[in-house]
Amino acid sequence: MLSQARSIVVIAPDLGLRQSLTFALEVEGYRVEAHESWRKSTVILGPTLCMIIDDQVLRSSSDILQRLLQSGQAVILLTDGMSPPIEGELGRILSLAKPFNGADLLGLVKNLALTA
């Protein structure tokens, strides 16, 4: 059984992106819980290494960003690189522009694991 420190929650509306992220992370030994939306997830902001969230999810509700900021949860935010940045103090929210290299994503995740 993997520890919570090796658990990652992925929330992205695009099935292909969710599957790609899940595969890449599981190959590296992480346990992944993937959801298409915040509402469909059973996310309890608890002891996970991080959440990887497509910025479309945050744009659908400003309430989600506030909950993330209050939780102190580490987040990797996948952005399209063209939309205006999400407003607010980002704290432990790292940004990665799509399309991205899998090595770049894994580098962010591994850095979070070192500081966890």
Side-chain angles (χ1 to χ4, degrees):
M1 180 182 208
L2 294 173
S3 73
Q4 294 287 25
R6 301 279 299 167
S7 297
I8 297 173
V9 174
V10 171
I11 304 176
D14 181 84
L15 176 61
L17 178 59
R18 279 195 318 276
Q19 290 174 333
S20 295
L21 291 169
T22 298
F23 177 78
L25 294 165
E26 286 180 343
V27 164
E28 293 295 319
Y30 297 98
R31 186 179 69 78
V32 178
E33 182 180 328
H35 304 279
E36 79 175 273
S37 72
W38 184 269
R39 293 181 205 279
K40 290 195 177 190
S41 72
T42 56
V43 174
I44 298 171
L45 296 177
T48 61
L49 173 59
C50 69
M51 296 179 75
I52 300 173
I53 303 177
D54 191 303
D55 69 344
Q56 293 177 23
V57 173
L58 296 184
R59 292 179 194 289
S60 68
S61 170
S62 61
D63 183 47
I64 296 169
L65 180 59
Q66 288 306 314
R67 283 194 241 165
L68 283 173
L69 292 173
Q70 291 170 354
S71 75
Q73 176 71 48
V75 174
I76 298 173
L77 182 63
L78 306 178
T79 66
D80 63 14
M82 296 185 310
S83 297
I86 301 286
E87 301 264 339
E89 192 169 314
L90 295 181
R92 292 191 62 192
I93 299 179
L94 304 172
S95 184
L96 183 62
K98 299 180 285 187
F100 52 86
N101 179 316
D104 292 337
L105 175 67
L106 291 173
L108 289 175
V109 169
K110 288 177 182 178
N111 284 339
L112 288 172
L114 292 174
T115 60

